[in-house]
């Protein structure tokens, strides 16, 4: 049967998983796949794909551009206590290209014909940084994120997979902050970045149609991450919550190697976690992170046939 194996010796983030899946494709199919990703219909979002090198290994790096720029280093999540007042919880994720703060909650499948919300329909509460444009000070609620995912130019399988992945993140953030999901709103730019990563991985996996996905134990990193409101241990609380029941380990690398988005995608799609199964490998893909470490900062994907 067709088997996809993710090796996560350097953790995982949404952009790294996207890069690994694109890198698996034959050269002639990569341009077509990237064009399809850029036609998913997420307003203002573009995928930029390029070759990158880490520790002598070449692979694919994916950048999510929002109105032509990459996401900032951190984006605050906004938790509502009352209708007009809120406390800002900063969810920081360092050590990978994208520091995802993507949180959504979905109970229902997408309805045919449902439109997605545009940039200026986000929720406007929250802390903005001096000098930012108004567009970048907008926060989104769960229903708005669901609407964007339901409005993707993709089939229902992709939409429903993306909603389910977002649900894992939303529930983890809700538990970490001890607030209902309905009270959590997230910075628009961070939300769009995460929506793009999740939609891309769901789209590419649906395109490949593996019979089974197996994932290695996940390296989460070690140390702490500094946020605007304090210092958090690695893995960050939401990531740790998502990875309950998943084999993980730390190590000497003092950085957050697994983001909530990466954790949620792996947990949702993995049939099981463990060593690479006995398989005949037909293609190997490398999805590169942005930071440099002593070890090659990448997710490695193996695509091939295994016994049923």
């Amino acid at each position: 049967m067709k088997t996809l194996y993710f090796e996560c010796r350097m953790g995982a983030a949404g952009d790294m998983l996207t890069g690994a899946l694109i890198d698996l494709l034959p050269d002639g199919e990569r341009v077509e796949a990237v064009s399809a990703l850029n036609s998913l219909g997420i307003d203002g979002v573009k995928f930029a794909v390029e070759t990158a090198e880490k520790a002598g290994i070449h692979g694919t790096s994916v950048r999510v551009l929002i109105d032509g720029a990459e996401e900032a280093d951190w984006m605050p999540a906004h938790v509502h206590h009352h209708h007009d007042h809120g406390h800002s919880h900063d969810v920081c994720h360092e050590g990978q290209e994208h520091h995802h703060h993507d949180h959504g909650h979905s109970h229902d499948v997408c309805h045919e014909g449902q439109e997605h919300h545009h940039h200026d329909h986000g929720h406007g509460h929250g802390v903005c940084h001096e000098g930012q444009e108004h567009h970048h000070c907008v926060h989104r609620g769960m229903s708005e994120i669901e609407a964007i995912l339901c409005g993707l130019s993709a089939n229902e399988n992709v939409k429903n997979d993306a909603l389910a992945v977002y649900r894992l993140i939303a529930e983890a953030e809700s538990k970490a902050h001890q607030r209902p999901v309905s009270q959590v709103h997230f910075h628009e730019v961070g939300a769009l970045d995460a929506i793009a990563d999740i939609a891309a991985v769901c789209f590419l996996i649906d395109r490949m149609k593996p019979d089974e996905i197996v994932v290695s134990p996940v390296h989460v990193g070690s140390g702490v991450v500094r946020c605007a409101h304090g210092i958090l241990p690695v893995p960050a609380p939401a990531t740790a919550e998502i990875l309950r029941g998943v084999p993980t380990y730390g190590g000497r690398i003092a950085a957050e190697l697994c983001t909530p988005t990466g954790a949620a995608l792996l947990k949702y799609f993995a049939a099981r976690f463990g060593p690479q199964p006995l398989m005949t490998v037909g293609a190997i893909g490398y999805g590169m992170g942005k930071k440099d470490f002593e070890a090659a900062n990448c997710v490695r994907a193996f695509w091939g046939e295994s016994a049923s």
Side-chain angles (χ1 to χ4, degrees):
M1 61 181 176
K2 293 186 292 185
T3 298
L4 176 62
Y5 181 72
F6 286 117
E7 181 186 80
C8 302
R9 294 180 181 272
M10 290 298 289
D15 61 295
M16 297 169 73
L17 293 168
T18 303
L21 292 170
I22 292 174
D23 206 52
L24 284 173
L25 299 174
D27 291 342
E29 295 183 22
R30 293 183 189 182
V31 174
E32 178 187 350
V34 174
S35 177
L37 293 181
N38 282 322
S39 299
L40 285 173
I42 308 172
D43 282 354
V45 169
K46 181 179 180 181
F47 294 88
V49 177
E50 57 196 13
T51 299
E53 181 266 332
K54 299 291 178 184
I57 298 173
H58 288 79
T60 297
S61 171
V62 176
R63 294 183 298 136
V64 175
L65 304 180
I66 301 170
D67 291 338
E70 287 190 80
E71 181 190 3
D73 285 344
W74 62 270
M75 295 296 170
H78 184 73
V79 181
H80 284 266
H81 297 274
H82 304 288
H83 180 71
D84 293 319
H85 300 85
H87 183 75
S88 178
H89 293 263
D90 297 314
V91 187
C92 303
H93 308 292
E94 298 180 353
Q96 300 292 352
E97 174 183 5
H98 295 297
H99 312 290
H100 299 293
H101 316 289
D102 50 310
H103 317 281
H105 189 69
S106 172
H107 297 285
D108 304 313
V109 297
C110 299
H111 300 290
E112 185 176 358
Q114 185 172 1
E115 297 294 332
H116 69 273
H117 291 202
H118 298 284
H119 289 182
D120 55 354
H121 294 167
H123 194 85
H125 296 276
V127 178
C128 297
H129 301 291
E130 184 177 357
Q132 283 186 318
E133 297 295 332
H134 172 74
H135 160 78
H136 293 114
C137 295
V138 177
H139 288 73
R140 289 189 183 275
M142 302 305 107
S143 62
E144 294 163 308
I145 291 172
E146 290 173 15
I148 293 174
L149 292 173
C150 285
L152 292 173
S153 296
N155 65 43
E156 295 303 304
N157 288 336
V158 173
K159 295 177 185 180
N160 291 326
D161 284 344
L163 285 166
V165 172
Y166 233 96
R167 185 183 302 126
L168 289 176
I169 301 168
E171 291 170 351
E173 290 291 355
S174 173
K175 186 166 185 177
H177 295 306
Q178 293 295 296
R179 299 290 173 188
V181 170
S182 61
Q183 292 184 9
V184 182
H185 290 73
F186 298 90
H187 195 289
E188 182 183 43
V189 177
L192 285 173
D193 176 87
I195 287 169
D197 283 335
I198 290 170
V201 173
C202 292
F203 176 85
L204 291 168
I205 287 178
D206 182 74
R207 177 190 175 106
M208 296 176 69
K209 293 181 170 39
D211 296 312
E212 182 181 49
I213 297 176
V214 184
V215 178
S216 74
V218 181
H219 188 180
V220 296
S222 65
V224 297
V225 288
R226 182 179 298 277
C227 299
H229 289 272
I231 296 174
L232 296 177
V234 171
T239 305
E241 182 64 32
I242 293 168
L243 291 173
R244 278 179 183 262
V246 173
T248 62
Y249 61 98
R252 295 185 297 108
I253 298 176
E256 184 179 32
L257 299 181
C258 188
T259 67
T261 303
L265 285 164
L266 294 175
K267 188 167 186 177
Y268 177 73
F269 281 109
R272 55 192 171 94
F273 290 84
Q276 180 181 327
L278 180 63
M279 59 188 293
T280 302
V281 176
I284 304 171
Y286 294 84
M288 302 306 200
K290 282 295 183 290
K291 290 200 172 184
D292 292 313
F293 300 105
E294 182 179 354
N297 185 19
C298 64
V299 166
R300 187 159 60 162
F302 296 85
W303 175 246
E305 294 284 339
S306 65
S308 58

